[in-house]
Amino acid sequence: MAILRAEGITAGYDGPPVLDDVAVTAEEGKTTVILGPNGAGKSTLAKAILGLLRISSGHVHFAGQEVTGLGPHRLVRRGLGYLPQLASIFDDMSVLENLEMGGYTLRGNLRQRIARVLELFPDLAADKRKKAGELSGGQQRMLALARLLMTDPVAAILDEPTAGLSPLYAGRVWEQIGRIRGSGVGLLVVEQNASLAMEHADSVYLLAQGRNVLSGDAAEMRERAEVARILVG
Amino acid sequence: MLFFLTDLLVLGCINSIMVVGLNLQYGYSGLLNFAFYIYVAIGAYLAAVTTMGPATIPGITYALGWTLPWWAGLIIGGLVAAIFGAFVFLLTVRRLRSDYLAIVTVAVAFIMWNLIDTYQPLFDGDTGLFNVPQITGNASSTEGYSAVMLVLSAACLALFVWTSRRIFRSPFGRLLRSTREDEEVTSAFGRVTWRPQIAVFTIGSFLAGIAGGLLIFYISAWTPSAFLPLESFILLAALIVGGSGNYWGALLGAFVLIEALAEIARYVPSFGNGANVGALRAVVIGVVLILMLRYRPEGIIPERWLKWYRTRRPAPEPAGASALAGGTASDAGAPSDAGVITEDRLPAATVAEVAGVTDATAPAPGKQADAPGQVLVDIRNVAYSYGGVRAVADCSFGISRGTVTGLIGPNGAGKSTLVELLSGRLTPQSGEILLDGRSIGRQRPAGMSRLGVARTFQTARVLARLPVIENVMIAAPGQRGEGPLAALFWQRGWRDQEAALREEATELLGWLGLSSHLDSPAGSLSGGQRRLMEIARALMAHPRLLLMDEPTAGVFPETSRLIARRVREIAATGVTVLLIAHNMAFLSSVADDVVVMAEGRVLTRGPLAEVREHKDVIAAYLGAAAGESRVPRVPSAGGGE
Amino acid sequence: MNQLLQAVGFGLATASVVALAAVAVSLQVSVTNFFNFAFGDFMSLGAYVAWTASQAGVNFVLSVLIGGAAVGVLGVLANFLVFRPFMRRGVRPVTLLIVGVGLAFIIQNALILIWTPSPRRFSLNLGNALHIGPFLLTPGDLIMIGASAALLLLLHLMLTYTKFGKAIRATSNNIDLAQSCGIDSDRVISLTWFIAGLLTALAGVGLVLQESTLSPTTGFSELFIIFGAVILGGIGRPYGAMLGALIVGVLTEVAGAYVNAAYKTSIAFGVVILLLLFRPQGLIKARGLIR
């Protein structure tokens, strides 16, 4: 079932549009990946959906309701989480506090939820009092994912979650993404590393120069030769 | 009544001199001297103690106590203030964020004031100085003296306005304003930016000192005011409200905000108490200032209204696209960033410089024509890491003269970092870069610019408040008149140069379709137009090597085609071009060959058509992990994928 | 030696006042990233309001709280009406500095208009100076030191253990991510201004009581000492500001004991200059506000 749907997204001001009538849909419990060459507009699309960028036309629907332009602060309260590409943790706060911040909008005692989340991230549990800025790059990314989980999202947008990571951690990130997906969350993942993303995706959208070019089941997209060509540019 | 008017005008002129001086520092150069008034005070004190003669009244002490003629005292006051200003500026030559610079200037001023206020032997401490002799030697009546002072201060004001104007219209003034808008771009075109800044700081302080001298000769007394910061603030407010960056704004601000307001405040009923008048005035000034900054930050008279900002020669009438040779007509109806192209080839001046052919028969020394085929740039085993992440790792390739080489690769491959290394913004941590056989790895952008390297930026950087034509003119190397003395006293040396530069810039901009924007502030250009302007600017520097970082990102396809044509024409004159691009259509029409980078290294090289089908290249773009971690984007590079 | 220790004692008393204001400034800077020059005049205003209330017969402690609340509200209004519209447009830091100065002069001169420029006497006679160990302090000083320490402890507890305190720290660390956690950063910033204003007003009262006189320029003159403390401790780090206040307070008093006391403030200014030139990140590493 479609949990997040964006249609007709057009953005860009003083030149050719950066996004031109783009549409993507993410389903509950599935991983939808957005790929594209440099300059395709992938990150821009993610930001547009989250209301971080002004769009000139288009609509975003989440859980049946119109949420166009609301902004991450309001979206997270409705259940749409966000993992930004850069600066994705509170580096001055401890691991535990990062998780507490993730659960900011939740009512009641967070301790149980934190314990459950930490079960999925045993490395973080060992370092829970450490300052987040002192963790390694890969661990910081895992913390960012854990923080996202704390918000108890129904769906989430992840902007290049494996950027800058070693193959080992990139694999771990996708493992966690798989687990999150398994618990029923609908995921929309923008990715640069196409081959790894396609291995774990359920469906794939290929953007180029701000437009939808190809889309379909990951299985079939993996077979199509044009995908490689389009990604090179 | 006449006396009242004269008095008003004298004070108006003196205040105007102060604001004009502050305008040189803040308006032209963007240096916020928050403690400007201390320089006025210094000028006043020095003028007094060099003309008053020794202290005769018991209990009053001060330094010096000479009896020089008034004009000597006045000039000494100005000079000492100027030297002090230079000293304070040198203290802060170290890079400080602009608001911290302001804090430091206030702190220094406060210390000076504390010293003056406390240390009796200097200027009689908090009692101050009295009975400073008038310039006419106490011979005239009050009205008469007023008239004399009016003539003197008006004359000084006229002189300083002339100075301001001359500076503004000179290459020195342009350099100051360019530094104010974007210091990094200015130094990327070969300028040392702190030198003109210290010059203007000194001159501004000199004006402050003279104003102080005039003031103390007029009112014959001076006490260290507890409201020193207030006076500086009022001057600054006057400048900002009037319009910073131009002398008319300074005059308007001084006369309207300071004078008129003071007079009006006097007439407000029920505020008979003197202190209240001053307080009310300060409140009004504060409110007006904040409102102006919010709604009209350029002031009542913005810099761009100056007649100087309109090109002397009217923009050439476009003859109609079809009349031009070389197929430069754009598709009727297709959207484009460029306007009508008014020149169909590079200006003669640019080509001559670039190719090293001058009027003389022999090429100028150091500017041998770059014969095609030889290697101009040799990159050898260069590496660079940002905080533990390797952006460029053991990268090696050469670039031949007169060619256009494309640099492509997936995100994070190190392309932009490499361009930063070539332009001098970054220094290689290992390996070396040779330009024409000479190692240049350690050069900073200013040095690279002098070696003939010019660049465009990933996000176009313009000098927003300057007109487009001046944005381009600033890039020309070796301009005369960029020092204060040459600007003021040797106009003959640079007047013709200015005309020639203007001509060349106009042609370059016309060649890129921006001829109807010559006088527009560069900040009003669209993204695509800015990219075209950056190309014009880079060419104005007569480079041998042109580095372009995504020159067509965000431009209309029509403009992309224009840029491709232009780049080929540039290369045909002997310029070597290295460009980063992602758009394959653009690359195929512009690049002779293409270097593919991935994970900091060169993966392969060859004609674009071949390289695109190369299986390792495809794998790299697909992100098939090769055992090395990917890298974050170059900091301060623009957004985008 | 005795003189030195006594100076240290005075320094502690000074530091206790400076610390409150410095922490306030640091808090505000940490969430908004610019120096507000009007804080000195916030201090003066707080003192004037408290003085007026106590002159009207209101209990002293209550007067002080009224002063604190008044400045807290002023802080929120200043952010909402003055600073935030500028920050929304994205202006250069210099512009915000000038705006802050403009606001400072408006407040300072409004004080003159309302309360006249004549200095007022505002003191609590709590007894003479006592010898506490090597220090020579009045009961008033001791109360100030105690009150300041208590307030700072409360602040620390709030920042470390309450949800809102953590929201402030999160917002100052990474405002965008804080929003993604559902934290309303506008509200956090407003409340931070309130707290900062409150602390500043209390510092203002403390300052005035130490000097026994109240005049419209009182706060503004202290501004640089406060900035010195903030910079020394690392801009945007409230805990650093406490340390910075201690150092600056003691340093100026000690230096003032050996040099003409009238130069005390100059020494503080000198410290600020040297800091900004040679170690703008403070003694403790600060975050990203340096070029």
Side-chain angles (χ1 to χ4, degrees), chain A residues 115-130:
Chain A
R116 263 190 292 147
V117 168
L118 282 178
E119 272 171 37
L120 302 171
F121 296 86
D123 287 347
L124 288 178
D127 285 324
K128 64 180 180 210
R129 301 212 178 274
K130 217 172 173 187

Side-chain angles (χ1 to χ4, degrees), chain A residues 72-73 76-77 82 84 87-94 97-98 100-106 147 151, chain C residues 159-160 163-164 166-167 169-171 173-185 188 237 287:
Chain A
H73 157 234
V76 79
R77 286 173 183 271
Y82 174 42
S88 54
I89 53 161
F90 295 110
D91 53 2
D92 267 346
M93 301 174 86
S94 72
E97 289 175 324
N98 266 264
E100 284 173 22
M101 287 300 101
Y104 191 80
T105 55
L106 302 178
R147 196 253 348 137
T151 67
Chain C
L159 287 176
T160 317
K163 193 167 167 181
F164 181 71
K166 293 184 202 185
R169 285 164 52 212
T171 306
N173 191 190
N174 187 337
I175 190 170
D176 295 318
L177 190 64
Q179 296 228 305
S180 299
C181 293
I183 296 174
D184 185 342
S185 53
V188 167
R237 292 200 173 284
R287 292 180 246 115

Side-chain angles (χ1 to χ4, degrees), chain B residues 1-182:
Chain B
M1 180 58 193
L2 187 64
F3 167 67
F4 172 74
L5 200 62
T6 323
D7 182 60
L8 198 68
L9 287 174
V10 173
L11 292 172
C13 285
I14 294 178
N15 279 316
S16 297
I17 293 175
M18 293 182 209
V19 182
V20 166
L22 187 61
N23 185 39
L24 287 175
Q25 295 179 346
Y26 181 64
Y28 287 7
S29 325
L31 303 166
L32 185 57
N33 183 3
F34 228 8
F36 192 75
Y37 208 72
I38 194 78
Y39 301 95
V40 174
I42 289 175
Y45 277 125
L46 263 300
V49 301
T50 49
T51 55
M52 272 172 81
T56 46
I57 303 169
I60 301 208
T61 54
Y62 47 82
L64 299 185
W66 300 341
T67 22
L68 298 178
W70 64 268
W71 49 266
L74 189 65
I75 292 178
I76 289 177
L79 287 175
V80 173
I83 292 170
F84 188 60
F87 162 70
V88 170
F89 184 79
L90 280 174
L91 262 188
T92 55
V93 145
R94 176 190 173 82
R95 289 162 174 267
L96 283 177
R97 204 171 82 167
S98 55
D99 50 352
Y100 292 170
L101 173 66
I103 293 175
V104 170
T105 56
V106 177
V108 170
F110 183 90
I111 294 176
M112 275 306 301
W113 174 66
N114 197 194
L115 196 66
I116 292 172
D117 191 52
T118 315
Y119 188 55
Q120 292 280 86
L122 196 60
F123 297 126
D124 199 30
D126 58 353
T127 323
L129 301 175
F130 297 91
N131 290 325
V132 178
Q134 296 184 337
I135 67 174
T136 51
N138 295 343
S140 39
S141 63
T142 324
E143 291 83 0
Y145 190 56
S146 243
V148 168
M149 284 305 292
L150 179 58
V151 169
L152 178 61
S153 36
C156 287
L157 178 62
L159 173 66
F160 294 135
V161 169
W162 175 86
T163 307
S164 252
R165 189 168 180 271
R166 176 61 73 91
I167 288 177
F168 190 88
R169 289 158 174 250
S170 67
F172 175 54
R174 179 170 52 240
L175 180 56
L176 287 171
R177 286 176 294 122
S178 172
T179 310
R180 173 191 75 196
E181 295 299 309
D182 192 332

Side-chain angles (χ1 to χ4, degrees), chain B residues 282-620:
Chain B
V283 171
V284 170
I285 291 177
V287 171
V288 169
L289 174 65
I290 292 179
L291 289 173
M292 278 301 256
L293 281 174
R294 174 83 177 81
Y295 296 109
R296 203 182 157 94
E298 290 179 294
I300 297 175
I301 303 182
E303 195 177 309
R304 59 190 155 79
W305 281 9
L306 290 179
K307 226 163 25 121
W308 173 247
Y309 273 48
R310 276 160 242 156
T311 325
R312 246 79 65 73
R313 175 180 105 178
E317 278 309 307
S322 52
L324 297 169
T328 53
S330 27
D331 240 327
S336 176
D337 303 280
V340 181
I341 315 287
T342 53
E343 308 284 337
D344 60 340
R345 53 177 59 93
L346 274 167
T350 314
V351 176
E353 268 298 303
V354 161
V357 172
T358 60
D359 287 343
T361 46
K367 278 228 182 254
Q368 309 113 335
D370 283 340
Q374 298 167 287
V375 168
L376 177 66
V377 181
D378 196 2
I379 299 165
R380 295 185 185 171
N381 309 105
V382 165
Y384 189 86
S385 306
Y386 293 100
V389 183
R390 255 192 304 177
V392 175
D394 196 23
C395 180
S396 305
F397 66 96
I399 308 176
S400 301
R401 296 169 201 264
T403 59
V404 178
T405 305
L407 185 58
I408 67 174
N411 223 14
K415 311 183 293 292
S416 276
T417 311
L418 189 66
V419 166
E420 302 292 314
L421 289 165
L422 285 170
S423 73
R425 232 164 152 204
L426 296 174
T427 306
Q429 288 159 359
S430 62
E432 50 175 359
I433 303 177
L434 302 172
L435 180 71
D436 215 2
R438 176 182 158 171
S439 181
I440 51 157
R442 305 212 132 276
Q443 290 280 356
R444 309 292 301 138
M448 291 303 286
S449 169
R450 282 178 230 126
L451 288 170
V453 178
R455 67 169 295 181
T456 65
F457 295 85
Q458 191 175 28
T459 313
R461 294 175 71 151
V462 303
L463 308 171
R465 282 197 287 171
L466 266 59
V468 169
I469 191 154
E470 283 198 299
N471 268 258
V472 174
M473 286 166 77
I474 189 73
Q479 293 182 35
R480 291 185 294 269
E482 287 190 335
L485 295 173
L488 287 173
F489 302 121
W490 195 46
Q491 195 187 32
R492 213 176 348 120
W494 47 266
R495 197 170 24 202
D496 292 333
Q497 171 198 273
E498 283 295 285
L501 287 178
R502 199 166 267 270
E503 176 97 26
E504 190 183 343
T506 307
E507 287 175 16
L508 271 173
L509 287 164
W511 185 67
L512 287 159
L514 290 176
S515 57
S516 52
H517 293 277
L518 294 178
D519 298 319
S520 316
S524 66
L525 293 181
S526 71
Q529 288 168 335
R530 291 182 190 207
R531 294 210 182 273
L532 291 168
M533 191 200 84
E534 275 208 323
I535 297 173
R537 179 175 72 194
L539 287 177
M540 193 78 184
H542 303 152
R544 304 164 67 191
L545 174 65
L546 179 58
L547 304 170
M548 305 177 89
D549 195 344
E550 300 196 43
T552 60
V555 307
F556 288 104
E558 186 54 41
T559 314
S560 183
R561 285 192 276 276
L562 171 65
I563 292 177
R565 283 200 298 275
R566 292 304 186 233
V567 170
R568 293 251 32 114
E569 286 166 36
I570 292 166
T573 63
V575 178
T576 308
V577 180
L578 175 70
L579 49 78
I580 298 177
H582 301 302
N583 186 315
M584 296 295 159
F586 171 70
L587 276 172
S588 58
S589 63
V590 80
D592 295 312
D593 82 332
V594 150
V595 169
V596 185
M597 277 182 78
E599 304 194 332
R601 291 191 168 75
V602 173
L603 194 56
T604 185
R605 179 177 194 163
L608 181 63
E610 269 177 39
V611 141
R612 280 173 85 167
E613 307 296 323
H614 193 295
K615 68 170 173 48
D616 289 339
V617 171
I618 295 178

